[in-house]
Amino acid sequence: MGVKLLLEHAHIEGIRFYDAYRKNGGYRSVEKALKMTPEEIVEEVKKSGLRGRGGAGFPTGMKWGFLAKPEGVPRHLVCNADESEPGTFKDRYLMEFLPHLLIEGLIVSSFALGSHHTYIYIRGEYVWVAEILEQAIAEAKLNGWLGKNILGTGFDCEIYVHRGAGAYICGEETALIESLEGKRGNPRIKPPFPAIQGVWMRPTVVNNVETLAAVVPIINMGGAEYAKIGIGKSTGTKLLSACGNINKPGIYEIDMTISVEEFIYSDEYCGGIPKGKKLKACIPGGSSVPILPANLLLKTAKGETRIMSYEGLADGGFTTGSMMGSGGFEVFDEDQCVVRHTMTLARFYNHESCGQCSPCREGTGWMYKILKNIEYGKGKISDIDLLWDIQRKIEGNTICPLGDAAAWPVAAAIRHFRDEFEWHVLNPAESQERNYGLAHYADPIHVPVAI
Amino acid sequence: MSEQPKFKVTVDNIQIEVPAGTTILNAARMIGGDVTPPAMCYYTNLKESGGKCRTCLVEVSKGSDKDPRPMPKLVASCRTTVMDGMEVKNITSDKVIDARKGVVEFLLLNHPLDCPVCDQAGECDLQDLSYQHGSEKTRYEFDRRTFEKEDIGPFIQLHMTRCILCYRCVFTADEVTGCRQHGVLDRGDHSAISTYLGKSLDNEFIGNVIDVCPVGALTDKTFRFKNRVWFTKPVDAHRDCPTCTSKVRLWMRGDEVFRVTARKNKFGEVEEWICNECRFHKKEVKDWVIEGPSKISRMSVISQGHYVNTHKAPVLIDKVIGKQPKLLMNIHTVSDVNRREVDLSKIEGPAHSEDFKTTDLNN
Ligand SMILES: Cc1cc2nc3c(=O)[nH]c(=O)nc-3n(C[C@H](O)[C@H](O)[C@H](O)COP(=O)(O)O)c2cc1C
Ligand code: SF4
Ligand code: SF4
Ligand code: FES
């Protein structure tokens, strides 16, 4: 059994409510943190090596260190609970079953950053989760963990829940800030960065739900202890939302030392693929990260076992690797069609583009239309190269990373599954009746031996 | 007054000193000519503008003297300020040329190619951009996007199908009229400029959105289909206006005033905002004090046939490539085309290359 830091108490009955949560050691980290100085807390988080769990994996302590502290200007902490990446549903689980863990983390982090008004920006569709959070906030306030003069330390803090209106783009931190201000959720052009000018032009830190929840064990056990879990720069534990063709879809907390193979096949985690089918492909970190064929997923291009860590999943860069991303682990068995899947993702990004910058606004729709043609047997071989060229012209040339997120899945699908695209084009009638299947995607990759 | 620090910046091998805080685009504009990136959304007078269209992307090959690392991605030159010692590549960067071609293609993807019936033709930034940076063919094989028509009042015509979503009109309403009645609805490729309730735009300065619009999405209803811009002659004029400075440009044919617009500088940007009264209601010569013919770009089709008083762009190619360009062939020395002794009228039928002696270049 791996270490559990976040989900340790998830199974306890009534843990959603204050009494059970407190009885099981809840809010200890607030008691401890409020006796420390804000700088000491930031130092602990730096020592822990915690990396942002929202997708980019940026070191949290470093991000906190960048926060500007001009005299007389309020600062804000914003919790990003917009979770709309296809395949990712770990934040929902945390908030739904352990709302007090997030609130505890928010109080400690707010104290460390000097935020007296902290916001949770939650995805609009999570209607019931927002209600759970509000209830938990009320309970916390009733018990003196929020409001004025918390624990008699003179620290004041309020947490507000702000509901989004159903836009993936509002998960991008600057679009989130605009939306929080009541404006259209268009990403801002950076610089200035939120750490200097964020909500209402005040210094702001935006962090993911899981990132802020992880602050609780870090304070409880100390940053240095936390950093001992995991390997390399992948410290602590990570929540993964596993879905697709697996026997046990759900939320798993892993320490980032296990192999991808173990994660998919062991009974402790996904429990293998139903009906004994074979693994064809996997998107290891949410829809935006590159898809990998089975052979590159389980082993790196060098022939080593691939580990479920930030570095492990990224091994090989985009040519033969992928990314940890937001932890949305999607598994595809031999019956799945990569072309169809890529089309579905292209439709998603086309639908979710904010429309500010031309490459993303126009390019996403174009890619979707071409993929639709290929999927429905109306494609041309030249369409595959055209898709490649379009994604290449979007990537890196847009205001926010949604453009990249739209380009990467298309690029990776063509890079690794070009045969399947070609088969679709060359066999228009057959491709409407059956899938390409596993083909050679699980065959061992030839690794040149060093001489 | 305190001295503002000056930064040295190099764009396409040409160095210039600019005040700190200048954007790369403006530094390049100070140099002028071909090293200036095209800008479809940035507008000097609108402080929120820029960063959206991505036509002005450039490569920063050296960040600054202090931190010489290149920037990992192409940056929007309109929203990136220069650092001391920065080196920028615009037309000397293959990456930039490639990306810009992509952006032009994206902008044209859903744009109706109905220039012959569009009032903006001849003064359209998108036409110029495609001519200079685009390719002659499209790779798009699908139906172009269309929008429901929306009436936004008696003076301004909205043609959403032609909009490139530069947001300039939105910022004009925000920053010039102070009371915005329109905005962008929806998102992605169906975002649309709209008043939502089909209201009309009636602020007394709202007419300026017509001038800032780079394409034919917002045009002047009082001028619609009356004339082509290149048949009219631009003349600078003013009057005694209680609302604005009334420094306008009249577009005339003979003694008739067809259209009134604000004056634009050589970057196609409005110099001073004018009011609706001047723009839509003063269409008689007697309303105005004429100052004289306007200075317009040498490149513009409007300057056809009148080459005096035009903005000429400097020719900088020698500085960009670091040497005088080598003349590969002087057409006049190798062909008789321009020789007077060959009388075209004596040749039967159209003239062909065989009708002229050529000097073989290789010997
Ligand atoms: C299109 C887009 C959508 C995003 N959606 C989310 C999201 O739903 N939740 C999230 O935590 N981060 C999301 N992010 C990442 C955020 O911009 C930001 O990096 C993150 O909230 C930072 O938190 P962290 O440092 O704790 O990871 C998104 C980014 C992009 C570009
Ligand atoms: S990349 Fe897409 S989502 Fe991001 S700002 Fe540009 S148009 Fe909007
Ligand atoms: S209507 Fe014109 S000015 Fe307004 S966003 Fe569209 S192109 Fe830009
Ligand atoms: S002019 Fe710079 S992005 Fe449009």
Side-chain angles (χ1 to χ4, degrees):
Chain A
M1 273 290 264
V3 202
K4 301 265 176 291
L5 298 179
L6 301 175
L7 303 186
E8 194 185 354
H9 301 305
H11 60 281
I12 296 173
E13 191 162 323
I15 196 76
R16 175 185 293 176
F17 302 101
Y18 178 77
D19 292 339
Y21 185 75
R22 177 69 177 151
K23 244 187 243 129
N24 286 284
Y27 290 99
R28 263 187 308 139
S29 73
V30 180
E31 291 168 317
K32 187 169 172 190
L34 262 49
K35 294 199 192 91
M36 299 161 71
T37 65
E39 293 73 28
E40 280 165 354
I41 302 175
V42 175
E43 203 44 49
E44 284 306 311
V45 173
K46 278 188 184 158
K47 262 192 250 161
S48 75
L50 175 67
R51 292 170 68 173
R53 307 297 198 220
F58 192 82
T60 306
M62 205 195 283
K63 189 183 218 172
W64 289 11
F66 290 150
L67 186 70
K69 298 196 169 115
E71 204 55 47
V73 183
R75 303 185 282 275
H76 296 286
L77 170 66
V78 179
C79 169
N80 189 343
D82 192 58
E83 195 172 60
S84 320
E85 177 115 336
T88 308
F89 45 92
K90 61 182 178 72
D91 295 343
R92 182 186 76 199
Y93 185 92
L94 259 187
M95 293 186 286
E96 191 173 349
F97 296 100
L98 293 157
H100 284 284
L101 180 67
L102 174 62
I103 290 160
E104 184 176 350
L106 281 172
I107 299 168
V108 174
S109 310
S110 299
F111 178 69
L113 298 167
S115 164
H116 302 295
H117 298 274
T118 293
Y119 298 87
I120 303 176
Y121 185 100
I122 187 163
R123 158 173 199 190
E125 291 91 332
Y126 284 179
V127 180
W128 77 102
V129 185
E131 283 162 11
I132 291 171
L133 284 175
E134 275 173 346
Q135 200 184 355
I137 289 169
E139 278 184 312
K141 200 164 171 175
L142 204 66
N143 289 283
W145 301 100
L146 282 171
K148 292 238 171 297
N149 193 16
I150 300 166
L151 302 185
T153 57
F155 175 61
D156 305 336
C157 183
E158 293 287 354
I159 299 176
Y160 306 92
V161 178
H162 186 101
R163 291 164 173 82
Y168 170 60
I169 190 57
C170 288
E172 195 281 335
E173 55 185 8
T174 56
L176 185 151
I177 287 171
E178 287 279 296
S179 174
L180 191 60
E181 290 181 4
K183 302 187 192 137
R184 182 185 162 83
N186 277 358
R188 289 181 181 170
I189 292 146
K190 294 186 251 188
F193 289 91
I196 315 292
Q197 291 183 330
V199 196
W200 301 292
M201 296 324 230
R202 298 166 180 172
T204 303
V205 165
V206 181
N207 271 134
N208 174 256
V209 171
E210 188 190 343
T211 314
L212 292 165
V215 171
V216 175
I218 290 172
I219 294 304
N220 281 338
M221 65 201 287
E225 271 313 296
Y226 184 90
K228 284 184 191 152
I229 305 165
I231 27 173
K233 288 195 175 138
S234 306
T235 58
T237 60
K238 173 89 188 86
L239 292 187
L240 295 177
S241 56
C243 59
N245 304 116
I246 43 176
N247 279 317
K248 292 171 28 189
I251 308 291
Y252 296 100
E253 181 168 9
I254 60 162
D255 56 26
M256 293 177 263
T257 55
I258 62 169
S259 70
V260 179
E261 188 160 6
E262 182 184 347
F263 185 68
I264 296 180
Y265 290 102
S266 84
D267 278 335
E268 194 186 336
Y269 302 107
C270 303
I273 297 172
K275 303 194 192 102
K277 294 233 157 116
K278 295 201 189 67
L279 174 71
K280 176 174 180 178
C282 173
I283 298 179
S287 65
S288 307
V289 311
I291 187 171
L292 285 179
N295 46 18
L296 279 174
L297 176 75
L298 303 180
K299 290 226 172 2
T300 66
K302 285 171 261 160
E304 290 156 5
T305 303
R306 200 182 278 283
I307 302 293
M308 291 283 299
S309 65
Y310 285 93
E311 296 86 353
L313 290 174
D315 190 302
F318 275 9
T319 15
T320 58
S322 185
M323 267 171 85
M324 175 63 96
S326 57
F329 194 85
E330 302 167 45
V331 179
F332 301 83
D333 71 16
E334 55 189 294
D335 289 340
Q336 307 310 315
C337 172
V338 172
V339 176
R340 184 165 189 88
H341 175 75
T342 312
M343 178 194 80
T344 310
L345 287 187
R347 181 176 60 203
F348 173 78
Y349 289 106
N350 176 29
H351 187 258
E352 298 300 332
S353 159
C354 84
Q356 264 192 108
C357 48
S358 8
C360 169
R361 178 181 65 240
E362 307 292 345
T364 50
W366 193 7
M367 292 198 299
Y368 168 50
K369 286 182 183 138
I370 296 173
L371 281 161
K372 204 159 71 172
N373 268 357
I374 300 179
E375 164 65 12
Y376 290 106
K378 287 180 280 184
K380 300 192 287 287
I381 286 288
S382 62
D383 283 345
I384 303 171
D385 296 322
L386 181 57
L387 273 177
W388 183 266
D389 196 52
I390 299 170
Q391 69 79 19
R392 191 177 66 79
K393 282 180 170 144
I394 299 175
E395 196 214 330
N397 293 337
T398 55
I399 296 175
C400 88
L402 190 137
D404 303 339
W408 292 340
V410 175
I414 297 178
R415 187 182 294 120
H416 300 301
F417 299 88
R418 196 178 175 107
D419 305 25
E420 187 162 350
F421 282 84
E422 288 176 358
W423 178 81
H424 258 259
V425 170
L426 298 174
N427 303 281
E430 197 183 348
S431 72
Q432 301 310 295
E433 269 150 33
R434 72 168 187 96
N435 282 330
Y436 190 52
L438 183 64
H440 56 91
Y441 298 126
D443 297 352
I445 287 183
H446 172 70
V447 183
V449 201
I451 309 164
Chain B
M1 225 177 90
S2 66
E3 257 309 280
Q4 220 184 351
K6 293 257 185 183
F7 284 170
K8 279 200 183 67
V9 54
T10 309
V11 185
D12 284 336
N13 303 322
I14 302 176
Q15 202 182 58
I16 185 171
E17 228 180 36
V18 297
T22 307
T23 58
I24 298 176
L25 178 71
N26 281 332
R29 281 182 172 184
M30 288 175 204
I31 299 171
D34 288 342
V35 306
T36 314
M40 296 294 289
C41 68
Y42 171 80
Y43 214 74
T44 313
N45 296 340
L46 301 171
K47 64 176 185 333
E48 294 277 323
S49 69
K52 301 194 195 291
C53 71
R54 318 307 281 176
T55 53
C56 71
L57 291 176
V58 293
E59 181 181 343
V60 176
S61 49
K62 177 181 165 196
S64 67
D65 280 338
K66 269 205 208 103
D67 182 359
R69 285 175 303 169
M71 293 193 183
K73 291 195 218 168
L74 302 183
V75 298
S77 60
C78 65
R79 293 286 291 241
T80 311
T81 46
V82 300
M83 301 301 256
D84 203 16
M86 184 185 265
E87 285 173 19
V88 178
K89 287 172 153 189
N90 178 28
I91 52 172
T92 48
S93 160
D94 291 340
K95 270 204 272 180
V96 170
I97 305 233
D98 181 55
R100 192 166 292 153
K101 232 183 157 83
V103 173
V104 177
E105 185 172 30
F106 289 133
L107 284 176
L108 287 173
L109 213 58
N110 276 299
H111 194 85
L113 298 180
D114 61 354
C115 306
V117 297
C118 175
D119 258 336
Q120 190 84 1
E123 54 177 12
C124 173
D125 292 350
L126 189 59
Q127 274 184 332
D128 295 347
L129 181 78
S130 339
Y131 185 69
Q132 287 165 16
H133 303 279
S135 61
E136 60 284 0
K137 277 192 291 219
T138 177
R139 298 183 290 173
Y140 192 64
E141 298 179 337
F142 304 92
D143 288 344
R144 279 157 207 264
R145 172 176 69 222
T146 53
F147 291 89
E148 298 267 319
K149 284 229 163 65
E150 185 181 335
D151 188 1
I152 57 165
F155 298 113
I156 304 172
Q157 177 72 32
L158 170 63
H159 247 296
M160 189 52 217
T161 46
R162 297 189 182 126
C163 172
I164 59 160
L165 285 164
C166 69
Y167 281 64
R168 281 181 186 171
C169 59
V170 177
F171 298 132
T172 306
D174 271 342
E175 297 173 24
V176 180
T177 73
C179 71
R180 179 147 67 80
Q181 299 158 308
H182 78 290
V184 179
L185 292 193
D186 256 320
R187 67 170 178 236
D189 55 11
H190 42 272
S191 317
I193 293 289
S194 169
T195 59
Y196 184 53
L197 295 169
K199 271 199 336 202
S200 48
L201 302 183
D202 52 16
N203 181 275
E204 60 184 351
F205 276 93
I206 196 68
N208 288 298
V209 296
I210 298 170
D211 287 341
V212 301
C213 185
V215 290
L218 295 169
T219 50
D220 184 340
K221 273 192 181 169
T222 66
F223 175 63
R224 240 160 94 73
F225 305 138
K226 294 230 169 83
N227 222 311
R228 305 270 19 179
V229 292
W230 56 88
F231 294 140
T232 60
K233 198 170 146 200
V235 176
D236 287 356
H238 65 268
R239 71 180 190 105
D240 195 13
C241 174
T243 321
C244 69
T245 60
S246 80
K247 291 192 174 152
V248 304
R249 186 156 290 172
L250 305 179
W251 298 78
M252 310 189 44
R253 202 163 170 185
D255 281 342
E256 216 177 326
V257 177
F258 273 90
R259 182 171 71 141
V260 184
T261 68
R263 293 183 199 170
K264 291 187 178 178
N265 63 16
K266 62 179 166 182
F267 306 115
E269 293 180 347
V270 166
E271 286 167 355
E272 287 177 47
W273 309 111
I274 62 166
C275 69
N276 289 4
E277 184 67 16
C278 287
R279 183 187 300 271
F280 299 123
H281 301 291
K282 299 288 170 211
K283 299 276 183 109
E284 310 266 347
V285 183
K286 66 172 166 34
D287 295 330
W288 297 100
V289 181
I290 307 277
E291 293 169 20
S294 315
K295 201 165 173 173
I296 44 178
S297 165
R298 169 77 176 76
M299 306 277 276
S300 164
V301 291
I302 296 162
S303 76
Q304 53 113 23
H306 96 130
Y307 288 149
V308 287
N309 208 10
T310 51
H311 293 292
K312 288 188 193 71
V315 177
L316 300 164
I317 189 67
D318 49 339
K319 293 204 181 105
V320 172
I321 63 175
K323 58 182 180 202
Q324 279 297 330
K326 195 171 131 216
L327 207 55
L328 290 179
M329 183 176 79
N330 182 346
I331 188 76
H332 302 294
T333 61
V334 297
S335 163
D336 282 338
V337 157
N338 282 4
R339 299 209 178 152
R340 271 190 216 114
E341 56 278 19
V342 183
D343 190 343
L344 284 178
S345 61
K346 299 242 168 77
I347 299 171
E348 212 163 307
H352 295 281
S353 52
E354 303 95 71
D355 295 323
F356 299 97
K357 283 204 308 289
T358 54
T359 322
D360 191 350
L361 273 183
N362 295 326
N363 56 43

